[in-house]
Amino acid sequence: MTIIDKKVLDKILYHVEKPGRYVGGEHNMVLKAWDSCSTRVALAFPDLYDLGQANLGLAILYEIINDRPDILAERVFSPWHDMEDAMRERKIPLFALESKRPIIDFDILGITLPYESIYTNVLNLLDLAGMPLHASERDESYPLVIAGGQACFNPEPMTDFIDAFVIGDGEDVIFEIIETYQLWKKQNLDKLSLLLALAKIAGVYVPSLYDVTYFEDGTIKSVDPKNEGVPKQVHKRIAPQLPPPIKKQIVPNIQIVHDRIAVEIMRGCTRGCRFCHAGIVNRPVRQRKVADVLKAIDSGVKATGYEELSLLSLSSSDHTEILDMSKAVYDQNKGRRLSVSLPSLRIESFSVDLMDELKDLKPGGGFTIAPEAATDRMRAIINKPLDDKILFETVETIFNHGWLNLKMYYMIGLPDERMEDLEAILETAQKVLQIGRRLRGNRVRVHVSIGTFIPKPHTPFQWAISEDPVSIQEKIDFLRDGMRQAKIKLSYNRPDSTLLEAWLSRGDRRLGKVIEKAWQLGAKFDAWDEGFIKEYWYAAFQECGVDPHFYTNRERELDETFPWDHISAGVFKDFLLEDYQMSLRGETRQDCRDGCYACGILDCFAQVRPSNEDVYWGCP
Amino acid sequence: MNPITPYRVRIRFAKLEGLRFIGHLDLQRLFERALNRTGLPLRYSQGFSPKIRLNLASALPLGFVSSAEVLDFWLNCPVELEEIKKSLQESLPKDIQIIDIEEIDNKRPSLQASLRSSVYRITIPISYAQEELIRGFNGLISKETIPFIRRKKTVDIKPMIESYQIEITPEASVLTLQMSSTAENNGRPDELLSFIKVDPADVIIERIQLIFEE
Ligand code: SF4
């Protein structure tokens, strides 16, 4: 096929909402001559441009691939409903933003799967591209479809549709995949040979090469490789060095979310909060040196013209040089118009000091803290200890240092949650508001944001039951009434909208047909509040004869084989189990930097470590 | 706060096809960032959250192209005009082309305040029968009023049309329209198209001139 006819495209763009989503042409976009490259990769984020363009992982892959002379990477996002209708009506296949070439012309389609509610959009994307949904129905004439991202630590629900998954950091693996692909192409072999070769790459999971058997009760009996040379367990890849910061970040022409420079300062976290998926799957801790952060900021500002920057990590306070970093960032940028945000700070007065070091670079707006739970009992269950005295001291410092708005994150639906836990959230928020009013008067605003806990694979809570939406709604109602009376703003998600994530995140291969059915019935953009229509999903479950409660409403047996057990995040299942049992007993575990628990990750990066001595690793 | 006299710079620029689907606010942001990348001594607005001081003469509707847009911005000190032009052009996407640059007296009124009219060239493909077009347009223009519903309010387009001309070539029908471009009376050439049964998506509308009050 050839490039999409510009006349036809322009005609439909004239009538759709925000046509700037579909045209590319941004500053720092890379458009390479198609014929100058032997391998072409389409990088897809299966949601709107407005969301996907901000994805840091995607931006890194885009840059490192395009840095190689013989390969090119282009971008593609999901079209919004109006654009999709227009494309289908005029039979315009899904195309890449840079060259406006159909996706089907590319060699590899790499899809980002950051969360589960994006799955139906993947199916829609494949369909719009004119490709069969099922990997088994796509022969070697179609692009190879690979997927990566945090949701891939349990790839099973999507195994029908994806040829190969990348588990863990993708920065090095992507080139091994491309090289394997190039070699295969030269040899003119069939698709199975490609899949077998890919399965030999560390960190690559080729689902079609495994057989899954089940017990009568529906749980997994075993997952076994079908072919010689296919690993029984796929270990995640660990990039020994954080990838170099993006040199030429694309500057969108339309407004998107997180429209700013992003600099990753640290990957991984050692805190061990039991609900946290990212904390486990991103181990071990690797941090960027202050000097490198400064370089990244300087080149980022010059390359983009942005006046906003965010220093990203799971827990900024834990960067060993964070105070120096704050000071140095200020010294470097004073006089520049730049606002620097430093999210994910621990609840302690030191965090306020860190922000103060940024002086006039710190962003306007509120201060955010995430206590997650309000009673000591619950804090022990989730392993996020926090002394109330320190919480209130910190809050005082925050108000005393000039902030008037405070946002607090809490979770509900946690294991063994009781009424007293919810009451404590309310009381804490009220007390915080009182402190604020006492110190700064009536201008003080407190905003509580409630997230619903969803048990995630590879975490100590992977055995736990997920609370049903009806009782979650009751809890929300209780908090809403209380907060309203206390004049505290409360935000929360519709309990229904978290259902999908709960089903899919601990799902197995049998959910593939449910996803497909739901999509056929009309499900897409499920991550959007208005997008998720639970009726489609219930109908799909019913038609496929699959019980959704199997995935949510049961506490797993301690010796159950999970659908994702053959995917290793580097952490032993025994370690997670021990931690889960500690949680049941209300016992905490300290930050493992203060004493290693031998979680298993050490073995995983033993090989890459000696050659990367200059990296700060959080592990002994 | 800002004791130095600001240096006011005016550029005329073309907005080409690749950016025709980028709207006015987005274009403004695009200029802010492009100016920022140049490292020029930019002047900021005063107040709580200072922004780069810039001023676009007129919002170009989404889907239009232009060879005649005008932008003012301010620097904290004089810089060689050619140098400004060069560094700004380098930092802009290729679909914005700077045509010329000049220094402007600070006392001159703002662009918006002095803008009077715009001239548009509408290129209609020959898939639309040319004779019918001429007949339709002449019929329309001879009417006393041309009522059009704009955001639930009826406006009369007729008095906004200051002059017009139709040219027929073998390749296309070209309609040139001068319309008022003031805050109260802002003529939109695409609004006329529905009366002559032309889908604005089929045509290229180019702004070819901005006319200011002197
Ligand atoms: S190896 Fe030890 S220090 Fe490293 S993440 Fe595991 S428990 Fe923590």
Side-chain angles (χ1 to χ4, degrees):
Chain A
M1 266 200 249
T2 44
I3 303 174
I4 310 292
D5 184 346
K6 193 170 167 308
K7 281 225 175 66
V8 179
L9 188 58
D10 276 9
K11 191 170 157 94
I12 66 172
L13 288 175
Y14 202 92
H15 292 294
V16 301
E17 189 191 315
K18 287 211 195 169
R21 288 167 174 163
Y22 313 110
V23 296
E26 308 94 326
H27 183 71
N28 289 338
M29 175 184 96
V30 181
L31 174 59
K32 289 192 176 180
W34 187 260
D35 294 323
S36 71
C37 293
S38 60
T39 308
R40 297 110 179 184
V41 184
L43 295 173
F45 189 100
D47 207 311
L48 276 188
Y49 174 90
D50 320 28
L51 250 106
Q53 185 52 49
N55 186 272
L56 187 59
L58 194 75
I60 292 172
L61 289 179
Y62 182 80
E63 184 163 286
I64 60 177
I65 294 176
N66 279 321
D67 275 349
R68 299 236 178 155
D70 61 326
I71 331 172
L72 64 79
E74 301 195 7
R75 296 161 300 151
V76 58
F77 300 92
S78 296
W80 191 239
H81 304 283
D82 57 349
M83 182 65 174
E84 178 184 338
D85 292 346
M87 286 168 69
R88 288 193 189 274
E89 192 189 317
R90 290 195 174 67
K91 304 218 162 23
I92 298 180
L94 191 72
F95 56 90
L97 291 186
E98 280 76 2
S99 64
K100 313 284 187 295
R101 293 251 180 189
I103 295 308
I104 215 158
D105 283 2
F106 286 77
D107 297 294
I108 298 173
L109 170 60
I111 303 178
T112 305
L113 296 180
Y115 37 80
E116 296 80 4
S117 45
I118 214 166
Y119 289 171
T120 49
N121 275 22
V122 174
L123 273 59
N124 209 38
L125 203 96
L126 292 171
D127 187 58
L128 278 167
M131 293 163 68
L133 298 185
H134 287 243
S136 59
E137 287 162 31
R138 294 189 302 259
D139 61 16
E140 41 286 334
S141 68
Y142 289 100
L144 172 75
V145 179
I146 59 176
Q150 303 269 298
C152 295
F153 281 94
N154 177 19
E156 292 304 285
M158 287 298 279
T159 49
D160 285 351
F161 318 107
I162 306 290
D163 293 314
F165 292 89
V166 172
I167 314 298
D169 301 329
E171 293 92 348
D172 301 323
V173 177
I174 188 69
F175 294 112
E176 292 166 33
I177 292 178
I178 291 171
E179 279 149 26
T180 305
Y181 179 92
Q182 287 173 328
L183 190 68
W184 166 79
K185 191 118 203 213
K186 264 192 220 123
Q187 294 168 323
N188 215 354
L189 299 170
D190 62 358
K191 185 165 167 187
L192 181 63
S193 333
L194 173 60
L195 295 178
L196 285 166
L198 290 172
K200 296 208 168 69
I201 302 174
V204 175
Y205 171 55
V206 181
S208 58
L209 303 179
Y210 294 78
D211 273 325
V212 183
T213 51
Y214 301 89
F215 288 115
E216 235 158 67
D217 66 0
T219 57
I220 305 271
K221 192 169 178 191
S222 70
V223 179
D224 303 294
K226 289 188 209 168
N227 305 60
E228 199 68 34
V230 176
K232 178 110 180 80
Q233 196 181 34
V234 177
H235 287 271
K236 78 163 177 195
R237 276 298 277 269
I238 297 172
Q241 302 263 4
L242 292 190
I246 303 192
K247 297 185 294 280
K248 295 192 149 223
Q249 188 177 331
I250 288 178
V251 186
N253 286 331
I254 61 167
Q255 196 156 25
I256 62 164
V257 301
H258 307 309
D259 204 0
R260 59 186 173 222
I261 302 167
V263 178
E264 188 183 21
I265 60 170
M266 185 169 80
R267 203 175 277 187
C269 176
T270 48
R271 300 252 128 205
C273 303
R274 291 180 177 128
F275 53 82
C276 184
H277 183 249
I280 298 284
V281 302
N282 290 305
R283 286 183 184 206
V285 163
R286 287 143 287 169
Q287 66 183 39
R288 207 185 289 288
K289 295 196 186 83
V290 174
D292 293 336
V293 171
L294 296 182
K295 257 188 254 161
I297 295 175
D298 198 56
S299 65
V301 169
K302 286 183 181 141
T304 62
Y306 273 124
E307 297 187 329
E308 227 180 285
L309 177 135
S310 190
L311 300 172
L312 298 180
S313 72
L314 291 172
S315 174
S316 305
S317 311
D318 291 327
H319 193 291
T320 53
E321 302 170 316
I322 192 69
L323 186 62
D324 291 340
M325 192 188 303
S326 277
K327 289 181 179 162
V329 168
Y330 173 74
D331 284 338
Q332 178 194 31
N333 296 291
K334 61 182 170 214
R336 238 188 207 151
R337 299 267 165 190
L338 187 68
S339 115
V340 180
S341 61
L342 188 60
S344 313
L345 289 171
R346 224 186 306 161
I347 302 172
E348 55 188 12
S349 299
F350 176 64
S351 299
V352 186
D353 298 341
L354 283 177
M355 293 296 278
D356 280 342
E357 290 299 342
L358 292 171
K359 301 188 184 143
D360 54 337
L361 300 181
K362 71 179 177 235
F367 202 104
T368 301
I369 55 175
E372 308 295 2
T375 60
D376 288 338
R377 189 188 67 90
M378 186 52 80
R379 288 167 181 157
I381 292 175
I382 64 173
N383 201 39
K384 192 164 185 183
L386 168 68
D387 191 332
D388 269 326
K389 202 169 138 272
I390 294 179
L391 170 69
F392 294 124
E393 265 172 29
T394 310
V395 166
E396 281 204 18
T397 318
I398 292 169
F399 288 124
N400 273 332
H401 283 239
W403 280 273
L404 294 170
N405 295 312
L406 181 70
K407 188 169 183 184
M408 301 202 284
Y409 281 99
Y410 284 99
M411 249 187 229
I412 59 170
L414 289 163
D416 195 22
E417 189 167 67
R418 300 177 192 163
M419 203 53 207
E420 66 196 51
D421 299 304
L422 301 171
E423 281 162 358
I425 294 178
L426 192 56
E427 280 159 27
T428 309
Q430 281 170 312
K431 194 147 177 220
V432 165
L433 183 63
Q434 267 170 22
I435 295 174
R437 294 250 154 107
R438 171 166 57 79
L439 297 171
R440 307 295 307 278
N442 282 335
R443 291 174 302 163
V444 165
R445 296 277 174 276
V446 174
H447 176 180
V448 173
S449 176
I450 299 286
T452 304
F453 164 68
I454 294 167
K456 290 281 181 173
H458 301 284
T459 67
F461 286 149
Q462 60 182 347
W463 286 271
I465 195 165
S466 146
E467 193 164 341
D468 75 286
V470 178
S471 60
I472 290 287
Q473 185 63 56
E474 285 166 10
K475 292 177 175 180
I476 289 176
D477 290 343
F478 167 78
L479 288 172
R480 199 187 39 210
D481 293 345
M483 297 288 179
R484 192 181 290 150
Q485 275 178 17
K487 295 205 167 34
I488 291 165
K489 183 179 166 193
L490 181 78
S491 52
Y492 52 88
N493 291 324
R494 274 194 303 141
D496 280 348
S497 67
T498 53
L499 263 176
L500 186 58
E501 206 182 324
W503 291 326
L504 295 177
S505 66
R506 290 186 295 168
D508 54 38
R509 287 192 177 197
R510 289 168 297 193
L511 289 183
K513 57 179 192 286
V514 178
I515 297 170
E516 190 172 343
K517 189 79 224 167
W519 169 74
Q520 282 166 356
L521 292 171
K524 61 189 162 193
F525 286 106
D526 292 305
W528 290 66
D529 230 7
E530 338 69 273
F532 175 66
I533 296 168
K534 67 173 184 229
E535 286 71 24
Y536 291 150
W537 285 91
Y538 280 123
F541 272 110
Q542 200 174 14
E543 262 185 66
C544 300
V546 177
D547 176 15
H549 300 309
F550 175 78
Y551 299 96
T552 45
N553 289 22
R554 65 187 181 92
E555 191 164 329
R556 270 69 167 166
E557 293 297 330
L558 297 184
D559 60 355
E560 181 173 332
T561 300
F562 294 133
W564 55 90
D565 276 354
H566 59 298
I567 305 296
S568 164
V571 174
F572 298 132
K573 194 174 180 184
D574 284 350
F575 168 83
L576 298 174
L577 181 60
E578 187 185 44
D579 210 46
Y580 178 54
Q581 288 171 317
M582 287 176 77
S583 163
L584 295 176
R585 295 194 298 267
E587 291 170 23
T588 57
R589 246 209 256 245
Q590 283 198 337
D591 187 325
C592 59
R593 278 203 254 202
D594 306 331
C596 171
Y597 305 111
C599 68
I601 198 75
L602 281 175
D603 304 342
C604 230
F605 67 107
Q607 278 179 333
V608 293
R609 196 168 181 179
S611 51
N612 291 280
E613 275 176 35
D614 57 321
V615 180
Y616 171 87
W617 301 87
C619 302
Chain B
M1 287 277 271
N2 262 324
I4 341 145
T5 337
Y7 184 68
R8 182 174 177 186
V9 181
R10 175 166 297 176
I11 61 165
R12 235 161 29 94
F13 65 94
K15 186 182 178 208
L16 307 178
E17 274 201 61
L19 285 177
R20 63 184 278 219
F21 292 114
I22 302 306
H24 179 62
L25 288 176
D26 290 328
L27 184 69
Q28 204 154 318
R29 216 174 1 246
L30 184 150
F31 267 109
E32 279 170 17
R33 288 171 186 161
L35 281 164
N36 230 346
R37 291 190 290 265
T38 61
L40 289 166
L42 302 170
R43 185 85 168 181
Y44 279 74
S45 66
Q46 317 256 304
F48 187 64
S49 57
K51 298 204 106 196
I52 293 175
R53 221 178 134 193
L54 57 82
N55 200 338
L56 279 159
S58 163
L60 186 70
L62 204 71
F64 288 30
V65 292
S66 172
S67 50
E69 297 306 287
V70 182
L71 167 81
D72 277 1
F73 58 94
W74 285 259
L75 301 180
N76 278 328
C77 57
V79 176
E80 190 76 43
L81 287 174
E82 268 313 302
E83 197 187 314
I84 299 175
K85 185 176 167 196
K86 185 166 165 282
S87 66
L88 182 54
Q89 184 64 66
E90 269 167 17
S91 113
L92 280 165
K94 64 170 185 2
D95 283 304
I96 300 279
Q97 284 294 329
I98 302 176
I99 299 161
D100 52 40
I101 185 164
E102 59 181 323
E103 186 197 343
I104 293 287
D105 189 336
N106 272 307
K107 289 197 269 311
R108 294 263 294 274
S110 77
L111 283 167
Q112 283 105 325
S114 48
L115 180 65
R116 220 189 64 219
S117 319
S118 298
V119 183
Y120 300 96
R121 185 186 334 166
I122 307 165
T123 310
I124 306 169
I126 43 168
S127 53
Y128 288 94
Q130 298 188 309
E131 258 154 58
E132 222 170 280
L133 270 182
I134 297 184
R135 214 178 314 123
F137 187 75
N138 285 337
L140 179 68
I141 214 80
S142 60
K143 289 203 175 124
E144 291 277 303
T145 61
I146 308 176
F148 185 85
I149 301 173
R150 226 188 236 180
R151 288 191 216 101
K152 295 191 184 130
K153 263 175 59 190
T154 307
V155 292
D156 183 7
I157 305 181
K158 181 72 196 288
M160 299 181 199
I161 304 173
E162 297 172 345
S163 68
Y164 64 92
Q165 187 194 340
I166 294 194
E167 217 179 312
I168 298 294
T169 75
E171 292 85 42
S173 317
V174 181
L175 174 60
T176 308
L177 275 174
Q178 180 175 322
M179 300 185 85
S180 62
S181 281
T182 58
E184 308 76 50
N185 280 312
N186 190 19
R188 290 273 307 236
D190 46 339
E191 290 174 353
L192 279 176
L193 294 177
S194 64
F195 294 96
I196 51 171
K197 300 196 177 56
V198 173
D199 180 353
D202 287 334
V203 308
I204 297 282
I205 306 179
E206 180 182 358
R207 178 142 70 185
I208 54 173
Q209 199 188 350
L210 286 174
I211 302 171
F212 296 93
E213 209 162 280
E214 278 311 317

